[in-house]
CSV table of all heavy atoms in Angstrom, one decimal:
chain,number,residue,atom,x,y,z
A,1384,MET,N,-2.7,-7.7,-1.9
A,1384,MET,CA,-1.9,-7.1,-3.0
A,1384,MET,C,-0.5,-6.9,-2.5
A,1384,MET,O,-0.3,-6.5,-1.4
A,1384,MET,CB,-2.4,-5.8,-3.4
A,1384,MET,CG,-3.8,-5.8,-3.9
A,1384,MET,SD,-4.4,-4.1,-4.3
A,1384,MET,CE,-3.6,-3.8,-5.8
A,1385,ASP,N,0.5,-7.2,-3.3
A,1385,ASP,CA,1.9,-6.9,-2.9
A,1385,ASP,C,2.2,-5.5,-3.2
A,1385,ASP,O,1.5,-4.8,-3.9
A,1385,ASP,CB,2.8,-8.0,-3.5
A,1385,ASP,CG,3.0,-7.8,-5.0
A,1385,ASP,OD1,2.4,-7.0,-5.6
A,1385,ASP,OD2,3.8,-8.6,-5.5
A,1386,THR,N,3.4,-5.1,-2.8
A,1386,THR,CA,3.8,-3.7,-3.0
A,1386,THR,C,3.9,-3.3,-4.4
A,1386,THR,O,3.5,-2.1,-4.7
A,1386,THR,CB,5.2,-3.5,-2.3
A,1386,THR,OG1,5.1,-4.0,-0.9
A,1386,THR,CG2,5.6,-2.1,-2.2
A,1387,SER,N,4.4,-4.1,-5.3
A,1387,SER,CA,4.5,-3.7,-6.7
A,1387,SER,C,3.1,-3.5,-7.3
A,1387,SER,O,2.9,-2.6,-8.1
A,1387,SER,CB,5.3,-4.7,-7.5
A,1387,SER,OG,4.7,-6.0,-7.5
A,1388,GLU,N,2.1,-4.3,-6.9
A,1388,GLU,CA,0.7,-4.1,-7.4
A,1388,GLU,C,0.1,-2.8,-6.9
A,1388,GLU,O,-0.5,-2.1,-7.7
A,1388,GLU,CB,-0.1,-5.3,-7.0
A,1388,GLU,CG,0.2,-6.6,-7.6
A,1388,GLU,CD,-0.5,-7.8,-7.1
A,1388,GLU,OE1,-0.9,-7.8,-5.9
A,1388,GLU,OE2,-0.8,-8.7,-7.8
A,1389,VAL,N,0.4,-2.5,-5.6
A,1389,VAL,CA,-0.1,-1.3,-5.1
A,1389,VAL,C,0.5,-0.1,-5.8
A,1389,VAL,O,-0.1,0.9,-6.2
A,1389,VAL,CB,0.1,-1.2,-3.6
A,1389,VAL,CG1,-0.2,0.2,-3.0
A,1389,VAL,CG2,-0.6,-2.3,-2.8
A,1390,ALA,N,1.8,-0.2,-6.0
A,1390,ALA,CA,2.6,0.9,-6.7
A,1390,ALA,C,2.0,1.1,-8.1
A,1390,ALA,O,1.8,2.2,-8.6
A,1390,ALA,CB,4.0,0.6,-6.7
A,1391,ALA,N,1.8,0.0,-8.8
A,1391,ALA,CA,1.2,0.1,-10.2
A,1391,ALA,C,-0.2,0.7,-10.2
A,1391,ALA,O,-0.5,1.6,-11.0
A,1391,ALA,CB,1.2,-1.2,-10.9
A,1392,MET,N,-1.0,0.3,-9.2
A,1392,MET,CA,-2.4,0.9,-9.2
A,1392,MET,C,-2.4,2.3,-8.8
A,1392,MET,O,-3.2,3.1,-9.4
A,1392,MET,CB,-3.1,0.1,-8.1
A,1392,MET,CG,-4.6,0.5,-8.0
A,1392,MET,SD,-5.5,-0.6,-6.9
A,1392,MET,CE,-5.3,0.4,-5.4
A,1393,LEU,N,-1.4,2.8,-8.0
A,1393,LEU,CA,-1.4,4.2,-7.6
A,1393,LEU,C,-0.5,5.0,-8.5
A,1393,LEU,O,-0.4,6.2,-8.4
A,1393,LEU,CB,-0.9,4.4,-6.2
A,1393,LEU,CG,-1.7,3.7,-5.1
A,1393,LEU,CD1,-1.1,3.9,-3.7
A,1393,LEU,CD2,-3.1,4.3,-5.1
A,1394,ASN,N,0.1,4.4,-9.5
A,1394,ASN,CA,1.1,5.0,-10.4
A,1394,ASN,C,2.2,5.7,-9.7
A,1394,ASN,O,2.6,6.8,-10.0
A,1394,ASN,CB,0.3,6.0,-11.3
A,1394,ASN,CG,1.1,6.3,-12.6
A,1394,ASN,OD1,1.9,5.5,-13.0
A,1394,ASN,ND2,0.9,7.5,-13.1
A,1395,MET,N,2.8,5.0,-8.7
A,1395,MET,CA,3.9,5.4,-7.9
A,1395,MET,C,5.0,4.4,-7.9
A,1395,MET,O,4.7,3.2,-8.4
A,1395,MET,CB,3.5,5.7,-6.5
A,1395,MET,CG,2.4,6.8,-6.4
A,1395,MET,SD,2.8,8.3,-7.1
A,1395,MET,CE,3.5,9.2,-5.7
A,1396,SER,N,6.1,4.7,-7.4
A,1396,SER,CA,7.2,3.7,-7.3
A,1396,SER,C,7.0,2.8,-6.1
A,1396,SER,O,6.3,3.2,-5.1
A,1396,SER,CB,8.6,4.4,-7.2
A,1396,SER,OG,8.7,5.1,-6.0
A,1397,THR,N,7.6,1.6,-6.1
A,1397,THR,CA,7.5,0.7,-4.9
A,1397,THR,C,8.2,1.4,-3.7
A,1397,THR,O,7.7,1.2,-2.6
A,1397,THR,CB,8.2,-0.6,-5.2
A,1397,THR,OG1,9.5,-0.4,-5.6
A,1397,THR,CG2,7.4,-1.4,-6.2
A,1398,SER,N,9.3,2.1,-3.9
A,1398,SER,CA,9.9,2.8,-2.8
A,1398,SER,C,9.0,3.8,-2.1
A,1398,SER,O,9.0,4.0,-0.9
A,1398,SER,CB,11.3,3.4,-3.2
A,1398,SER,OG,11.1,4.4,-4.2
A,1399,TRP,N,8.2,4.5,-2.9
A,1399,TRP,CA,7.2,5.4,-2.4
A,1399,TRP,C,6.2,4.7,-1.5
A,1399,TRP,O,5.9,5.2,-0.5
A,1399,TRP,CB,6.5,6.2,-3.5
A,1399,TRP,CG,5.6,7.2,-3.1
A,1399,TRP,CD1,5.9,8.5,-2.8
A,1399,TRP,CD2,4.2,7.1,-2.8
A,1399,TRP,NE1,4.7,9.2,-2.4
A,1399,TRP,CE2,3.7,8.3,-2.4
A,1399,TRP,CE3,3.3,6.0,-2.9
A,1399,TRP,CZ2,2.4,8.5,-2.0
A,1399,TRP,CZ3,2.0,6.2,-2.5
A,1399,TRP,CH2,1.5,7.4,-2.1
A,1400,VAL,N,5.7,3.6,-2.0
A,1400,VAL,CA,4.7,2.8,-1.2
A,1400,VAL,C,5.3,2.4,0.1
A,1400,VAL,O,4.7,2.5,1.1
A,1400,VAL,CB,4.2,1.6,-2.0
A,1400,VAL,CG1,3.3,0.7,-1.2
A,1400,VAL,CG2,3.5,2.0,-3.3
A,1401,TYR,N,6.5,1.8,0.1
A,1401,TYR,CA,7.2,1.4,1.3
A,1401,TYR,C,7.3,2.6,2.3
A,1401,TYR,O,7.1,2.5,3.5
A,1401,TYR,CB,8.6,0.8,1.1
A,1401,TYR,CG,8.6,-0.6,0.6
A,1401,TYR,CD1,9.2,-0.9,-0.6
A,1401,TYR,CD2,8.0,-1.6,1.3
A,1401,TYR,CE1,9.2,-2.2,-1.1
A,1401,TYR,CE2,8.0,-2.9,0.9
A,1401,TYR,CZ,8.6,-3.2,-0.3
A,1401,TYR,OH,8.6,-4.5,-0.8
A,1402,ARG,N,7.7,3.8,1.8
A,1402,ARG,CA,8.0,4.9,2.6
A,1402,ARG,C,6.7,5.6,3.1
A,1402,ARG,O,6.6,6.0,4.3
A,1402,ARG,CB,8.8,5.9,1.8
A,1402,ARG,CG,9.3,7.1,2.5
A,1402,ARG,CD,10.2,8.1,1.7
A,1402,ARG,NE,9.5,8.5,0.5
A,1402,ARG,CZ,9.8,8.2,-0.8
A,1402,ARG,NH1,10.8,7.4,-1.0
A,1402,ARG,NH2,9.1,8.7,-1.8
A,1403,GLU,N,5.7,5.7,2.3
A,1403,GLU,CA,4.5,6.4,2.6
A,1403,GLU,C,3.3,5.6,3.2
A,1403,GLU,O,2.3,6.2,3.7
A,1403,GLU,CB,4.0,7.2,1.4
A,1403,GLU,CG,5.0,8.2,0.8
A,1403,GLU,CD,5.3,9.3,1.8
A,1403,GLU,OE1,4.4,9.8,2.5
A,1403,GLU,OE2,6.5,9.8,1.8
A,1404,ALA,N,3.3,4.3,3.1
A,1404,ALA,CA,2.2,3.5,3.4
A,1404,ALA,C,1.7,3.8,4.9
A,1404,ALA,O,0.5,4.0,5.1
A,1404,ALA,CB,2.5,2.0,3.2
A,1405,SER,N,2.6,3.8,5.8
A,1405,SER,CA,2.2,4.0,7.2
A,1405,SER,C,1.7,5.4,7.4
A,1405,SER,O,0.8,5.6,8.2
A,1405,SER,CB,3.4,3.7,8.2
A,1405,SER,OG,4.4,4.6,7.9
A,1406,LYS,N,2.2,6.4,6.7
A,1406,LYS,CA,1.7,7.8,6.8
A,1406,LYS,C,0.3,7.9,6.3
A,1406,LYS,O,-0.5,8.7,6.8
A,1406,LYS,CB,2.6,8.7,6.1
A,1406,LYS,CG,4.0,8.8,6.6
A,1406,LYS,CD,4.9,9.7,5.8
A,1406,LYS,CE,6.3,9.7,6.1
A,1406,LYS,NZ,7.2,10.5,5.2
A,1407,LEU,N,0.0,7.1,5.3
A,1407,LEU,CA,-1.3,7.1,4.7
A,1407,LEU,C,-2.3,6.3,5.4
A,1407,LEU,O,-3.5,6.3,5.1
A,1407,LEU,CB,-1.2,6.6,3.2
A,1407,LEU,CG,-0.3,7.4,2.3
A,1407,LEU,CD1,-0.2,6.7,1.0
A,1407,LEU,CD2,-0.7,8.8,2.2
A,1408,GLY,N,-1.9,5.5,6.4
A,1408,GLY,CA,-2.8,4.6,7.2
A,1408,GLY,C,-2.9,3.3,6.5
A,1408,GLY,O,-3.8,2.5,6.9
A,1409,LEU,N,-2.1,2.9,5.6
A,1409,LEU,CA,-2.1,1.6,5.0
A,1409,LEU,C,-1.3,0.6,5.8
A,1409,LEU,O,-0.1,0.9,5.9
A,1409,LEU,CB,-1.7,1.6,3.5
A,1409,LEU,CG,-2.5,2.5,2.6
A,1409,LEU,CD1,-1.8,2.5,1.2
A,1409,LEU,CD2,-3.9,2.0,2.5
A,1410,LYS,N,-1.9,-0.4,6.3
A,1410,LYS,CA,-1.2,-1.3,7.1
A,1410,LYS,C,-0.6,-2.5,6.3
A,1410,LYS,O,-1.3,-3.1,5.6
A,1410,LYS,CB,-2.1,-1.9,8.2
A,1410,LYS,CG,-1.4,-2.7,9.2
A,1410,LYS,CD,-2.4,-3.1,10.3
A,1410,LYS,CE,-1.7,-3.9,11.4
A,1410,LYS,NZ,-2.7,-4.2,12.5
A,1411,GLY,N,0.7,-2.7,6.4
A,1411,GLY,CA,1.4,-3.7,5.6
A,1411,GLY,C,1.4,-5.0,6.4
A,1411,GLY,O,1.6,-4.9,7.7
A,1412,TYR,N,1.3,-6.1,5.8
A,1412,TYR,CA,1.4,-7.4,6.5
A,1412,TYR,C,2.6,-8.1,5.9
A,1412,TYR,O,2.7,-8.4,4.7
A,1412,TYR,CB,0.1,-8.2,6.2
A,1412,TYR,CG,-1.1,-7.5,6.8
A,1412,TYR,CD1,-1.8,-6.6,6.0
A,1412,TYR,CD2,-1.5,-7.7,8.1
A,1412,TYR,CE1,-2.9,-6.0,6.5
A,1412,TYR,CE2,-2.6,-7.1,8.6
A,1412,TYR,CZ,-3.3,-6.2,7.9
A,1412,TYR,OH,-4.4,-5.6,8.4
A,1413,LYS,N,3.6,-8.4,6.8
A,1413,LYS,CA,4.9,-9.0,6.3
A,1413,LYS,C,4.8,-10.5,6.3
A,1413,LYS,O,4.4,-11.1,7.3
A,1413,LYS,CB,6.0,-8.5,7.3
A,1413,LYS,CG,7.4,-8.8,6.9
A,1413,LYS,CD,8.3,-8.1,7.8
A,1413,LYS,CE,9.7,-8.3,7.4
A,1413,LYS,NZ,10.7,-7.7,8.4
A,1414,LEU,N,5.1,-11.1,5.2
A,1414,LEU,CA,5.1,-12.5,5.0
A,1414,LEU,C,6.6,-13.0,4.9
A,1414,LEU,O,7.3,-12.6,4.0
A,1414,LEU,CB,4.3,-13.0,3.8
A,1414,LEU,CG,2.9,-12.5,3.7
A,1414,LEU,CD1,2.3,-12.9,2.4
A,1414,LEU,CD2,2.1,-13.1,4.9
A,1415,GLY,N,7.0,-13.8,5.9
A,1415,GLY,CA,8.4,-14.3,5.8
A,1415,GLY,C,9.2,-13.6,6.8
A,1415,GLY,O,8.8,-12.7,7.6
A,1416,ARG,N,10.5,-13.9,6.7
A,1416,ARG,CA,11.5,-13.3,7.6
A,1416,ARG,C,12.6,-12.7,6.8
A,1416,ARG,O,12.9,-13.1,5.7
A,1416,ARG,CB,12.1,-14.3,8.6
A,1416,ARG,CG,11.1,-14.8,9.6
A,1416,ARG,CD,11.8,-15.8,10.5
A,1416,ARG,NE,10.9,-16.3,11.5
A,1416,ARG,CZ,11.2,-17.1,12.4
A,1416,ARG,NH1,12.5,-17.6,12.4
A,1416,ARG,NH2,10.4,-17.5,13.3
A,1417,GLY,N,13.3,-11.7,7.4
A,1417,GLY,CA,14.5,-11.2,6.8
A,1417,GLY,C,14.2,-10.2,5.7
A,1417,GLY,O,13.1,-9.7,5.5
A,1418,ARG,N,15.3,-9.9,4.9
A,1418,ARG,CA,15.3,-8.9,3.9
A,1418,ARG,C,14.4,-9.2,2.7
A,1418,ARG,O,13.8,-8.4,2.1
A,1418,ARG,CB,16.7,-8.7,3.4
A,1418,ARG,CG,17.6,-8.1,4.4
A,1418,ARG,CD,18.9,-7.9,3.8
A,1418,ARG,NE,18.9,-6.8,2.8
A,1418,ARG,CZ,19.9,-6.3,2.2
A,1418,ARG,NH1,21.1,-6.7,2.5
A,1418,ARG,NH2,19.7,-5.3,1.4
A,1419,ASN,N,14.2,-10.5,2.5
A,1419,ASN,CA,13.4,-10.9,1.3
A,1419,ASN,C,12.0,-11.2,1.6
A,1419,ASN,O,11.3,-11.8,0.8
A,1419,ASN,CB,14.1,-12.2,0.7
A,1419,ASN,CG,15.5,-11.9,0.2
A,1419,ASN,OD1,15.7,-10.8,-0.3
A,1419,ASN,ND2,16.4,-12.8,0.2
A,1420,SER,N,11.5,-10.8,2.8
A,1420,SER,CA,10.1,-11.0,3.1
A,1420,SER,C,9.2,-10.1,2.2
A,1420,SER,O,9.6,-9.1,1.8
A,1420,SER,CB,9.9,-10.8,4.6
A,1420,SER,OG,10.2,-9.5,4.9
A,1421,LYS,N,8.0,-10.6,2.0
A,1421,LYS,CA,7.1,-9.9,1.2
A,1421,LYS,C,6.1,-9.1,2.0
A,1421,LYS,O,5.6,-9.6,3.0
A,1421,LYS,CB,6.4,-10.9,0.3
A,1421,LYS,CG,5.7,-10.4,-0.9
A,1421,LYS,CD,5.2,-11.5,-1.8
A,1421,LYS,CE,4.9,-10.9,-3.1
A,1421,LYS,NZ,4.6,-12.0,-4.1
A,1422,VAL,N,5.8,-7.9,1.6
A,1422,VAL,CA,4.8,-7.1,2.3
A,1422,VAL,C,3.6,-7.0,1.5
A,1422,VAL,O,3.6,-6.7,0.3
A,1422,VAL,CB,5.4,-5.6,2.6
A,1422,VAL,CG1,4.3,-4.8,3.3
A,1422,VAL,CG2,6.6,-5.7,3.4
A,1423,MET,N,2.5,-7.4,2.1
A,1423,MET,CA,1.2,-7.4,1.4
A,1423,MET,C,0.2,-6.4,2.1
A,1423,MET,O,0.4,-6.1,3.2
A,1423,MET,CB,0.6,-8.8,1.6
A,1423,MET,CG,1.4,-10.0,1.1
A,1423,MET,SD,1.6,-10.0,-0.7
A,1423,MET,CE,0.0,-10.6,-1.2
A,1424,TYR,N,-0.7,-5.9,1.3
A,1424,TYR,CA,-1.7,-4.9,1.7
A,1424,TYR,C,-3.1,-5.5,1.4
A,1424,TYR,O,-3.3,-6.1,0.3
A,1424,TYR,CB,-1.5,-3.6,1.0
A,1424,TYR,CG,-0.1,-3.0,1.3
A,1424,TYR,CD1,1.0,-3.3,0.5
A,1424,TYR,CD2,0.1,-2.2,2.4
A,1424,TYR,CE1,2.2,-2.7,0.8
A,1424,TYR,CE2,1.3,-1.7,2.7
A,1424,TYR,CZ,2.4,-1.9,1.9
A,1424,TYR,OH,3.6,-1.4,2.2
A,1425,LYS,N,-4.0,-5.2,2.2
A,1425,LYS,CA,-5.4,-5.6,2.0
A,1425,LYS,C,-6.0,-4.7,0.9
A,1425,LYS,O,-5.9,-3.4,1.0
A,1425,LYS,CB,-6.2,-5.5,3.2
A,1425,LYS,CG,-5.9,-6.6,4.2
A,1425,LYS,CD,-6.8,-6.6,5.4
A,1425,LYS,CE,-6.5,-7.7,6.3
A,1425,LYS,NZ,-7.4,-7.7,7.5
A,1426,ARG,N,-6.6,-5.3,-0.1
A,1426,ARG,CA,-7.2,-4.5,-1.2
A,1426,ARG,C,-8.3,-3.6,-0.7
A,1426,ARG,O,-8.4,-2.4,-1.2
A,1426,ARG,CB,-7.8,-5.5,-2.2
A,1426,ARG,CG,-8.3,-4.9,-3.5
A,1426,ARG,CD,-8.8,-6.0,-4.4
A,1426,ARG,NE,-7.8,-7.0,-4.7
A,1426,ARG,CZ,-6.9,-7.0,-5.7
A,1426,ARG,NH1,-6.9,-6.0,-6.6
A,1426,ARG,NH2,-6.1,-8.0,-5.9
A,1427,ALA,N,-9.1,-4.0,0.3
A,1427,ALA,CA,-10.2,-3.2,0.8
A,1427,ALA,C,-9.6,-2.0,1.5
A,1427,ALA,O,-10.2,-0.9,1.3
A,1427,ALA,CB,-11.0,-4.0,1.8
A,1428,GLU,N,-8.5,-2.1,2.2
A,1428,GLU,CA,-7.9,-0.9,2.8
A,1428,GLU,C,-7.4,0.1,1.8
A,1428,GLU,O,-7.6,1.3,2.0
A,1428,GLU,CB,-6.8,-1.3,3.7
A,1428,GLU,CG,-7.2,-2.1,5.0
A,1428,GLU,CD,-6.1,-2.5,5.9
A,1428,GLU,OE1,-4.9,-2.1,5.6
A,1428,GLU,OE2,-6.4,-3.2,6.9
A,1429,ILE,N,-6.9,-0.4,0.7
A,1429,ILE,CA,-6.4,0.5,-0.3
A,1429,ILE,C,-7.5,1.3,-1.0
A,1429,ILE,O,-7.5,2.5,-1.2
A,1429,ILE,CB,-5.5,-0.2,-1.4
A,1429,ILE,CG1,-4.3,-0.8,-0.7
A,1429,ILE,CG2,-5.2,0.7,-2.5
A,1429,ILE,CD1,-3.6,-1.8,-1.5
A,1430,PHE,N,-8.6,0.5,-1.3
A,1430,PHE,CA,-9.8,1.2,-1.9
A,1430,PHE,C,-10.4,2.1,-1.0
A,1430,PHE,O,-11.0,3.2,-1.4
A,1430,PHE,CB,-10.7,0.1,-2.5
A,1430,PHE,CG,-10.3,-0.5,-3.7
A,1430,PHE,CD1,-10.0,-1.9,-3.8
A,1430,PHE,CD2,-10.0,0.2,-4.9
A,1430,PHE,CE1,-9.6,-2.5,-5.0
A,1430,PHE,CE2,-9.6,-0.3,-6.0
A,1430,PHE,CZ,-9.4,-1.7,-6.1
A,1431,ARG,N,-10.5,1.8,0.3
A,1431,ARG,CA,-11.0,2.7,1.3
A,1431,ARG,C,-10.2,4.0,1.4
A,1431,ARG,O,-10.8,5.1,1.4
A,1431,ARG,CB,-11.1,2.1,2.7
A,1431,ARG,CG,-11.9,2.8,3.7
A,1431,ARG,CD,-12.0,2.1,5.1
A,1431,ARG,NE,-12.3,0.7,4.9
A,1431,ARG,CZ,-11.4,-0.3,5.4
A,1431,ARG,NH1,-10.3,0.0,5.9
A,1431,ARG,NH2,-11.8,-1.6,5.2
A,1432,TRP,N,-8.9,3.9,1.4
A,1432,TRP,CA,-8.1,5.1,1.4
A,1432,TRP,C,-8.3,5.9,0.1
A,1432,TRP,O,-8.4,7.1,0.1
A,1432,TRP,CB,-6.6,4.7,1.5
A,1432,TRP,CG,-5.7,5.9,1.4
A,1432,TRP,CD1,-5.4,6.8,2.4
A,1432,TRP,CD2,-5.0,6.3,0.2
A,1432,TRP,NE1,-4.5,7.7,1.9
A,1432,TRP,CE2,-4.3,7.5,0.6
A,1432,TRP,CE3,-4.8,5.9,-1.1
A,1432,TRP,CZ2,-3.5,8.2,-0.3
A,1432,TRP,CZ3,-4.0,6.6,-1.9
A,1432,TRP,CH2,-3.4,7.7,-1.5
A,1433,LEU,N,-8.4,5.2,-1.1
A,1433,LEU,CA,-8.6,6.0,-2.3
A,1433,LEU,C,-10.0,6.7,-2.3
A,1433,LEU,O,-10.1,7.8,-2.8
A,1433,LEU,CB,-8.6,5.0,-3.5
A,1433,LEU,CG,-7.2,4.5,-4.0
A,1433,LEU,CD1,-7.4,3.4,-5.0
A,1433,LEU,CD2,-6.4,5.7,-4.5
A,1434,GLU,N,-11.0,6.1,-1.7
A,1434,GLU,CA,-12.3,6.7,-1.6
A,1434,GLU,C,-12.2,8.0,-0.8
A,1434,GLU,O,-12.9,9.0,-1.1
A,1434,GLU,CB,-13.3,5.7,-1.0
A,1434,GLU,CG,-14.7,6.1,-1.1
A,1434,GLU,CD,-15.2,6.2,-2.5
A,1434,GLU,OE1,-14.8,5.4,-3.4
A,1434,GLU,OE2,-16.1,7.0,-2.7
A,1435,GLN,N,-11.4,8.0,0.3
A,1435,GLN,CA,-11.2,9.1,1.1
A,1435,GLN,C,-10.5,10.3,0.4
A,1435,GLN,O,-10.6,11.4,0.8
A,1435,GLN,CB,-10.4,8.8,2.4
A,1435,GLN,CG,-11.2,7.8,3.3
A,1435,GLN,CD,-10.3,7.3,4.4
A,1435,GLN,OE1,-9.1,7.6,4.4
A,1435,GLN,NE2,-10.8,6.6,5.4
A,1436,GLN,N,-9.8,10.0,-0.7
A,1436,GLN,CA,-9.0,11.0,-1.4
A,1436,GLN,C,-9.8,11.7,-2.4
A,1436,GLN,O,-9.3,12.6,-3.1
A,1436,GLN,CB,-7.8,10.3,-2.0
A,1436,GLN,CG,-6.9,9.6,-1.1
A,1436,GLN,CD,-6.5,10.5,0.1
A,1436,GLN,OE1,-6.0,11.6,0.0
A,1436,GLN,NE2,-6.7,10.0,1.3
A,1437,LYS,N,-11.1,11.4,-2.6
A,1437,LYS,CA,-11.9,12.0,-3.6
A,1437,LYS,C,-12.0,13.5,-3.3
A,1437,LYS,O,-12.1,14.0,-2.2
A,1437,LYS,CB,-13.4,11.5,-3.5
A,1437,LYS,CG,-13.6,10.2,-4.3
A,1437,LYS,CD,-15.1,9.9,-4.3
A,1437,LYS,CE,-15.4,8.8,-5.2
A,1437,LYS,NZ,-16.8,8.5,-5.2
A,1438,VAL,N,-12.0,14.3,-4.4
A,1438,VAL,CA,-12.2,15.7,-4.3
A,1438,VAL,C,-13.7,16.0,-4.7
A,1438,VAL,O,-14.1,15.6,-5.8
A,1438,VAL,CB,-11.3,16.4,-5.3
A,1438,VAL,CG1,-11.6,17.9,-5.3
A,1438,VAL,CG2,-9.9,16.1,-5.0
A,1439,HIS,N,-14.4,16.6,-3.8
A,1439,HIS,CA,-15.8,16.8,-4.0
A,1439,HIS,C,-16.1,18.1,-4.7
A,1439,HIS,O,-15.5,19.1,-4.6
A,1439,HIS,CB,-16.6,16.8,-2.7
A,1439,HIS,CG,-16.5,15.5,-2.0
A,1439,HIS,ND1,-17.2,14.4,-2.5
A,1439,HIS,CD2,-15.7,15.0,-1.0
A,1439,HIS,CE1,-16.9,13.3,-1.7
A,1439,HIS,NE2,-16.0,13.7,-0.8
């Protein structure tokens, strides 16, 4: 999933995803070089993080 898809799924902005992903334990994978490179996230890691956020 790219950053905009993650942001839409979490109902947050893309800048929030870029800023908070490492704090949340979401590892980004950079494709390409330079400023225009794309950051991708593994769908399974995002769902695992969401599962940990459940309120019991």
Side-chain angles (χ1 to χ4, degrees):
M1384 298 178 76
D1385 67 0
T1386 307
S1387 61
E1388 292 172 331
V1389 173
M1392 186 174 88
L1393 299 177
N1394 199 26
M1395 301 301 269
S1396 66
T1397 55
S1398 60
W1399 183 88
V1400 174
Y1401 282 122
R1402 187 176 57 247
E1403 300 293 324
S1405 64
K1406 295 177 190 175
L1407 301 175
L1409 299 176
K1410 188 173 184 179
Y1412 299 90
K1413 192 173 183 181
L1414 302 177
R1416 292 183 177 179
R1418 296 179 69 171
N1419 296 327
S1420 62
K1421 197 169 196 174
V1422 178
M1423 303 292 285
Y1424 299 91
K1425 288 186 178 180
R1426 188 178 306 268
E1428 289 179 4
I1429 295 166
F1430 285 119
R1431 190 176 316 117
W1432 177 79
L1433 283 172
E1434 191 66 30
Q1435 293 171 352
Q1436 302 310 307
K1437 273 188 177 178
V1438 177
H1439 298 283

